[in-house]
Amino acid sequence: MPLSFHNTLTRQLEEFSPSGPIRMYTCGPTVYNYAHIGNFRAYLFEDLLQRHLEVRGHTVDRVMNLTDVDDKTIRGANAQKLPLAQYTQHYKEAFFTDCATLRLRPAMAYPAATDPENIAAMIAMIKTLMERGHAYQAEDHSVYFRISSFSNYGKLAHVDLEAQRSCVRIKNDEYAKEEVADFALWKAWDEEDGAVGWESPWGQGRPGWHIECSAMARRLLGDQLDIHCGGVDNIFPHHEAEIAQCECVTGKTFARLWMHCAHLMVDGNKMSKSAGNFYTLRSLLERGWSGREIRYVLMNVHYRIPLNFTLEGLEAARQSLHRLDEWLRRLQEYTADCKIIAPLLEQLGILQLSSFFEALDQDLNISAALAVVFDTIRESNRLLDRAELTLEQAQGLLAWWGKVNEVLALEPEPLAEILPREVSDLLALRQQARAEKNWQESDRLRDQIAELGWSVKDTKNEQKVVKRCF
Ligand SMILES: [Zn+2]
């Protein structure tokens, strides 16, 4: 079955059959604060896409930019009286830590807008746009893109620009721009920028956000991309502007396939700091949720459907993952001493295991794919209960899970990393009590461990501890 994805450009599902490595550009964070879970929803969708393409045998050359200069980063640095680079460095590092917590596969490159080679690439593009009449320097010394010079402007967002123009022209006198919708390519330095600025043919200043992505995408991936991703918020004007800048410079179609991830809501409302429903990854970790649980919640709704994030949803994720862990544990125990090499999946004959991947082939249908996983768990548990699952089948299921998990990245956390110190101390005491055959103390400690949310099972030689599911 061929891959097919929804293309924002055409609003249709399209067959996707790339030849050679897939050049994929994903708009990254503005590093002025910790990324929130709405940002991470989009990054998780991109991670799922990359992982699935890779499991399907493609090479994915993915780039994600870091916006480390804009109004927000400058404002933040000024407020803390820090040099811009020092201020953004903290949030860059935090971003990579968060990505690892959510098990995001790293991109090929994370170019930062302020890297000298990127600034040079942006200036070079703006120069070409000026030479060709697509840009102009206004009275405020900033350089703007002249959208009237690009007839395709609006094709991605499907906006009728003519209609927009007529209603905004009235207020145009307030601006130095020829038209209100013209966007800045190069912003002239002003006092608030402080020490932030670069020399350019148009004077001291800094790049606009849109040109950052165009220049970095071209520098690292070439003039034409296979896939460009982002959140729906990016469609207009950001991605529209990226298309305009690139296509006016190269004369080629910038990206073949545009994929956008829908919004994240919290308890049915827009997430905002003022509404008190604003979550960063870090704030959820502090409340005791794991990166794995948050990954599951942010991933398990189809990327084009708005995701309503709730704490109940996290609770349900915990339960689903617990079922998965129990199933893996059963299969691993069952096959522990088994020397059989896992048979080919097609020969298993118990379930349509390939349907997991086929569901993802169809515009990343994660709901259908996860349904295959949980149907498989239910069915194989039933066979295990009746002692009807063969060792070959059990091994085959584990091999299948290995492949599935290359996409999902939902393997259980290594125990040592998640076991709280308090629990491991109690386990050590309990081990001692059992060695001394002090069963009363052993039971008491087991109850105490249970109160902390862990259950202990005793095997012949050791205590096994698993997180309890409430
Ligand atoms: Zn971008």
Side-chain angles (χ1 to χ4, degrees):
M1 206 189 296
L3 290 163
S4 68
F5 297 116
H6 181 266
N7 191 348
T8 308
L9 204 57
T10 58
R11 302 287 200 265
Q12 277 175 355
L13 277 183
E14 288 177 6
E15 198 172 309
F16 183 69
S17 43
S19 54
I22 296 170
R23 290 154 302 177
M24 178 170 163
Y25 188 86
T26 48
C27 287
T30 302
V31 282
Y32 75 106
N33 207 330
Y34 300 110
H36 60 68
I37 54 171
N39 304 133
F40 280 115
R41 184 197 184 191
Y43 306 148
L44 261 162
F45 137 67
E46 290 153 0
D47 184 60
L48 193 66
L49 177 61
Q50 175 177 355
R51 286 170 177 274
H52 182 59
L53 290 169
E54 287 176 349
V55 160
R56 282 307 199 193
H58 298 288
T59 301
V60 179
D61 290 339
R62 185 167 72 85
V63 169
M64 175 176 271
N65 67 297
L66 303 172
T67 297
D68 59 353
V69 58
D70 77 332
D71 292 346
K72 286 181 281 195
T73 45
I74 291 173
R75 218 179 296 136
N78 287 346
Q80 293 194 14
K81 298 192 170 38
L82 286 175
L84 180 68
Q86 195 181 333
Y87 175 77
T88 57
Q89 185 60 27
H90 172 75
Y91 292 109
K92 284 180 192 172
E93 285 167 13
F95 173 68
F96 289 122
T97 305
D98 288 354
C99 287
T101 303
L102 287 172
R103 307 176 176 190
L104 299 176
R105 191 167 276 178
M108 176 182 85
Y110 291 94
T114 62
D115 291 344
E117 60 273 31
N118 292 329
I119 295 280
M122 293 170 213
I123 290 176
M125 266 187 94
I126 300 170
K127 259 187 183 167
T128 307
L129 290 169
M130 286 286 273
E131 285 160 14
R132 296 189 185 166
H134 293 294
Y136 60 92
Q137 187 165 25
E139 281 168 27
D140 64 357
H141 303 292
S142 292
V143 179
Y144 294 95
F145 184 89
R146 179 178 283 127
I147 58 164
S148 62
S149 74
F150 182 60
S151 59
N152 274 333
Y153 195 81
K155 71 175 176 179
L156 180 71
H158 296 214
V159 287
D160 181 351
L161 214 68
E162 278 308 315
Q164 274 212 342
R165 266 190 210 149
S166 54
C167 44
V168 292
R169 195 167 279 153
I170 315 145
K171 294 172 79 180
N172 203 14
D173 320 346
E174 300 165 25
Y175 296 86
K177 296 188 270 183
E178 288 175 6
E179 291 205 31
V180 177
D182 289 353
F183 55 86
L185 296 164
W186 189 259
K187 294 186 177 182
W189 182 89
D190 73 25
E191 270 174 30
E192 298 205 342
D193 292 349
V196 177
W198 291 265
E199 275 306 319
S200 82
W202 317 283
Q204 185 86 354
R206 59 184 164 99
W209 175 37
H210 312 315
I211 196 74
E212 293 177 9
C213 280
S214 287
M216 293 191 279
R218 283 186 64 224
R219 192 173 78 74
L220 291 159
L221 294 170
D223 287 348
Q224 293 189 287
L225 309 177
D226 296 294
I227 309 178
H228 195 313
C229 298
V232 284
D233 289 354
N234 292 145
I235 297 175
F236 193 86
H238 183 52
H239 288 166
E240 201 70 63
E242 281 188 41
I243 292 174
Q245 295 162 150
C246 286
E247 298 191 359
C248 286
V249 167
T250 67
K252 299 173 195 162
T253 302
F254 176 42
R256 290 165 58 192
L257 174 61
W258 288 86
M259 294 176 73
H260 292 98
C261 178
H263 286 288
L264 176 138
M265 319 276 281
V266 175
D267 298 324
N269 299 306
K270 196 171 188 296
M271 185 167 76
S272 75
K273 280 186 178 151
S274 53
N277 64 355
F278 190 88
Y279 293 115
T280 60
L281 175 65
R282 283 151 192 256
S283 65
L284 291 170
L285 295 174
E286 279 165 19
R287 286 167 169 239
W289 303 101
S290 69
R292 180 191 185 215
E293 288 161 345
I294 299 163
R295 176 179 175 90
Y296 186 92
V297 164
L298 294 180
M299 184 173 74
N300 82 349
V301 171
H302 188 265
Y303 75 95
R304 284 196 291 119
I305 298 175
L307 166 67
N308 187 27
F309 180 87
T310 61
L311 294 182
E312 293 77 43
L314 271 173
E315 198 63 60
R318 182 169 282 179
Q319 306 229 5
S320 299
L321 291 170
H322 186 71
R323 279 175 64 202
L324 174 68
D325 293 351
E326 279 297 299
W327 174 70
L328 285 172
R329 188 189 55 75
R330 280 187 91 178
L331 288 177
Q332 278 156 358
E333 279 179 12
Y334 182 48
T335 57
D337 301 317
C338 170
K339 301 280 187 295
I340 300 166
I341 310 279
L344 290 172
L345 295 179
E346 303 83 68
Q347 292 166 7
L348 272 175
I350 43 170
L351 288 160
Q352 292 298 314
L353 298 179
S354 60
S355 49
F356 172 86
F357 302 100
E358 287 160 6
L360 293 176
D361 287 344
Q362 298 301 303
D363 200 29
L364 293 183
N365 189 345
I366 188 69
S367 319
L370 286 172
V372 174
V373 172
F374 286 98
D375 286 350
T376 303
I377 290 177
R378 192 182 317 110
E379 179 63 10
S380 48
N381 273 337
R382 200 176 57 81
L383 293 171
L384 274 168
D385 291 343
R386 296 181 184 174
E388 286 175 3
L389 193 78
T390 66
L391 277 171
E392 285 90 341
Q393 287 173 329
Q395 289 231 330
L397 283 168
L398 284 171
W400 173 75
W401 164 254
K403 199 81 180 156
V404 164
N405 194 49
E406 284 179 34
V407 181
L408 295 181
L410 288 175
E411 72 279 5
E413 311 265 3
L415 202 56
E417 280 178 27
I418 52 163
L419 200 60
R421 182 67 194 270
E422 215 178 342
V423 176
S424 60
D425 288 351
L426 289 170
L427 280 170
L429 287 175
R430 189 167 179 272
Q431 181 129 359
Q432 200 182 337
R434 292 179 69 75
E436 292 163 2
K437 300 204 179 342
N438 184 350
W439 308 121
Q440 205 180 340
E441 177 66 359
S442 161
D443 288 350
R444 193 192 65 75
L445 287 163
R446 186 181 54 201
D447 293 344
Q448 204 179 334
I449 291 166
E451 276 168 30
L452 293 170
W454 297 79
S455 54
V456 189
K457 282 184 185 149
D458 296 307
T459 64
K460 214 167 22 171
N461 303 318
E462 56 175 349
Q463 315 176 81
K464 277 195 172 169
V465 65
V466 289
K467 197 157 192 180
R468 288 177 66 198
C469 188
F470 296 101

